């Protein structure tokens, strides 16, 4: 019998590893649903750059945006989750059945372009952070992260891959930890969260639009609905809630708790990121932040190495979640629109079109690093496209979740529908503001 360097025999070492794996699978974190991953993916590296810029430029006076965003983003995401679980189909499949083809085709096309540009910005930020930490060239680090996420998504079955994604969500706690390394005037923080002090002009309006556009993003809509379907398909005996009878209410409560708690975690982390930038960068009069890596680099001399390491690890952790979610949502949307086989639980050979979209999206994002298009310009155009597509898509979502022909007796309650319409109106105002010069 072979003995390892640690002194354990091979079977004993395997048993120990199996024990650890079993304990991890039994952890409460492993049992939470898609809401947590969706929420953390919302705080991707490009989102971190946006929140850091808001805090650096306006100090504590943009913190109010996050409490306002929370119920709006949670309402829309809970609608998407409900649509997926009740119908047993993803968002694109439901749009295809309920609306003219031009609606679906336009939304999916814009989503593919926006996601690819967003992936380009995210992997660029991860490469830059990787260079800061390791000293290895940022292009090599970018390529490493791209191929690592792609190989995991294509070759690791969904039930295993999603398990690791859930543990990566803990990386957002790094931004709460940063606040323990710096001085925070908590009284002023509470006051400015409730009563901000700023002039509403083109500059502040642009930041507010950026925060809302980053927080309520179309790719999350498609991902959330399809992940509920993925979870349903891998649960023995589970079926769409429209045909589940009395057991549906319990599952809907689970979806509600999972989605609202996941969005709360996401929103709180974004609040901490903005706050960390406000009490460090803004205080030091560093007010122009273009990338998440730049925010991390600027933080180092102000808050020390520990805060810098926490911030960079957070960027890498959420990037490893955000990029697969961006690519996966594009795959779900196009595969459903084209009636292709789809699903991260399927082998690549069984869903070639679905995995092809994921691969092309990620590799195109990598290719942009070597093109004349700068990652920041890619992020700008991604924000513009998301702003254009979010509003009609949100209208479609609210209509879908209210239709008895789609949802049967499990249509969404009036309070959440009202929140959905409020979120749509705010996003519409933000989209209009994007196209007003000055």
């Amino acid at each position: 019998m072979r003995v390892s360097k640690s002194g354990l025999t091979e079977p004993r070492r395997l048993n120990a590893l199996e024990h650890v794996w079993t304990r991890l699978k039994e952890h409460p974190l492993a049992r939470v649903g898609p809401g947590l991953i969706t929420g953390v993916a919302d705080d991707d590296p490009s989102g971190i750059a946006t929140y850091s810029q808001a805090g650096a430029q306006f100090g504590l006076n943009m913190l109010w945006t996050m409490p306002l965003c929370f119920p709006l983003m949670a309402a829309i995401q809970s609608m998407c989750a409900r649509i997926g679980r009740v119908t047993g189909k993803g968002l694109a499949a439901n749009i295809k059945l309920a609306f003219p083809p031009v609606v679906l085709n336009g939304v999916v096309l814009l989503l593919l372009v926006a996601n690819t540009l967003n992936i380009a910005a995210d992997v660029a930020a991860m490469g830059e952070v990787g260079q800061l930490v390791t000293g290895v060239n940022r292009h090599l680090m970018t390529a490493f992260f791209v191929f690592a996420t792609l190989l995991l998504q294509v070759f690791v079955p969904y039930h295993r891959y999603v398990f690791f994604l859930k543990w990566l969500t803990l990386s957002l706690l790094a931004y709460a930890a940063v606040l323990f390394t710096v001085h925070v005037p908590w009284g002023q923080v509470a006051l400015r969260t409730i009563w901000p002090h700023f002039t509403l002009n083109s500059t502040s309006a642009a930041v507010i639009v950026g925060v809302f556009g980053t927080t309520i993003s179309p790719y999350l809509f498609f991902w959330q609905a399809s992940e509920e379907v993925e979870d349903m398909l891998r649960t023995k005996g589970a079926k769409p809630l429209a045909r589940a009878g009395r057991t549906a209410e319990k599952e809907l409560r689970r979806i509600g708790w999972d989605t609202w708690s996941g969005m709360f975690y996401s929103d709180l982390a974004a609040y901490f990121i903005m706050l960390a930038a406000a009490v460090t960068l803004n205080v030091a009069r560093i007010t122009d932040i273009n990338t998440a890596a730049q925010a991390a680099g600027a933080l180092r001399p102000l808050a020390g190495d520990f805060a810098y390491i926490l911030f960079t690890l957070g960027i890498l952790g959420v990037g490893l979640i955000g990029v697969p979610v961006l690519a996966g949502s594009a795959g779900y949307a196009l595969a459903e629109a084209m009636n292709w086989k789809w699903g991260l639980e399927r082998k690549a050979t069984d869903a070639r079109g679905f995995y092809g979209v994921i691969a092309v999206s990620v590799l195109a994002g990598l290719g942009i690093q070597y093109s004349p298009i700068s990652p920041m310009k890619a992020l700008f155009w991604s924000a513009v496209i998301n702003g254009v597509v979010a509003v009609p898509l949100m209208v479609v979502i609210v209509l879908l979740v209210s239709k008895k022909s789609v949802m049967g007796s499990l249509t969404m309650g009036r309070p959440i529908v009202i929140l959905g319409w409020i979120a749509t109106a705010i996003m519409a105002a933000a989209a209009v503001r994007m196209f007003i010069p000055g």
Side-chain angles (χ1 to χ4, degrees), residues 36-78:
L36 180 63
I37 294 172
T38 306
V40 174
D42 196 23
D43 294 335
D44 64 336
S46 58
I48 292 170
T50 301
Y51 304 136
S52 298
Q53 175 61 33
Q57 191 170 359
F58 288 92
L60 305 176
N61 292 302
M62 283 294 163
L63 293 175
W64 62 273
T65 56
M66 301 321 302
L68 179 58
C69 280
F70 167 59
L72 304 180
M73 67 189 288
I76 291 294
Q77 290 302 142
S78 62

Side-chain angles (χ1 to χ4, degrees), residues 87-294:
T87 66
K89 299 183 181 71
L91 189 55
N94 277 288
I95 295 173
K96 186 174 185 177
L97 291 174
F99 292 91
V102 66
V103 175
L104 177 64
N105 295 339
V107 164
V108 170
L109 177 61
L110 289 172
L111 180 78
L112 292 173
V113 175
N115 282 14
T116 300
L117 294 174
N118 207 333
I119 288 169
D122 280 356
V123 297
M126 293 170 70
E128 289 170 4
V129 169
Q131 179 174 308
L132 288 173
V133 174
T134 66
V136 178
N137 179 273
R138 64 186 176 88
H139 289 302
L140 291 177
M141 292 303 299
T142 299
F144 168 76
F145 289 125
V146 162
F147 285 107
T149 57
L150 184 57
L151 290 173
L152 286 170
Q153 208 164 4
V154 172
F155 293 107
V156 178
Y158 169 76
H159 67 278
R160 291 185 182 274
Y161 183 59
V162 78
F163 170 81
F164 290 109
L165 287 184
K166 288 175 182 177
W167 280 97
L168 274 174
T169 61
L170 295 175
S171 61
L172 277 188
L173 296 176
Y175 299 110
V178 167
L179 298 177
F180 288 98
T181 69
V182 295
H183 171 68
V184 181
W186 289 109
Q188 279 293 308
V189 170
L191 176 63
R192 293 303 173 208
T193 300
I194 300 169
W195 194 262
H197 180 70
F198 67 96
T199 302
L200 186 59
N201 53 28
S202 60
T203 303
S204 59
V207 171
I208 294 168
V209 168
V211 169
F212 274 89
T214 298
T215 306
I216 303 175
S217 299
Y219 71 91
L220 298 174
F221 308 162
F222 287 91
W223 174 267
Q224 180 99 31
S226 293
E227 288 307 285
E228 286 291 345
V229 180
E230 290 266 22
D231 274 9
M232 180 195 74
L233 293 175
R234 75 185 186 93
T235 303
K236 188 176 181 180
K239 54 188 175 182
L241 295 184
R243 297 189 279 112
R246 286 181 295 179
T247 60
E249 285 303 319
K250 180 181 177 182
E251 186 67 3
L252 288 176
R253 284 195 297 272
R254 192 274 306 165
I255 290 171
W257 178 88
D258 175 55
T259 306
W260 281 77
S261 61
M263 295 308 113
F264 179 75
Y265 183 50
S266 168
D267 195 81
L268 191 62
Y271 183 91
F272 288 151
I273 294 165
M274 202 180 292
L275 178 55
V279 298
T280 54
L281 306 182
N282 180 264
V283 170
R285 301 188 184 280
I286 300 172
T287 59
D288 188 21
I289 297 296
N290 291 318
T291 68
Q294 187 181 348

Side-chain angles (χ1 to χ4, degrees), residues 379-400:
L379 181 57
F380 169 77
W381 284 110
S382 170
V384 170
I385 295 170
N386 277 328
V388 170
V389 74
V391 178
L393 185 54
M394 289 166 75
V395 170
V396 165
I397 289 167
V398 178
L399 291 176
L400 278 174

Side-chain angles (χ1 to χ4, degrees), residues 290-365:
N290 291 318
T291 68
Q294 187 181 348
L299 192 68
R300 189 173 200 168
L302 301 174
D305 286 343
F306 187 58
Y308 161 76
I309 290 169
L310 288 172
F311 204 89
T312 53
L313 289 177
I315 293 169
L316 293 177
V318 296
L320 290 171
I321 294 177
V323 171
V325 170
L326 282 158
S329 64
Y332 287 130
L334 188 58
E336 289 172 0
M338 301 296 292
N339 287 328
W340 296 339
K341 289 182 179 179
W342 57 269
L344 292 170
E345 194 67 46
R346 293 181 184 272
K347 293 181 179 179
T349 52
D350 295 333
R352 289 187 176 89
F354 171 70
Y355 283 108
V357 175
I358 290 174
V360 169
S361 298
V362 176
L363 294 176

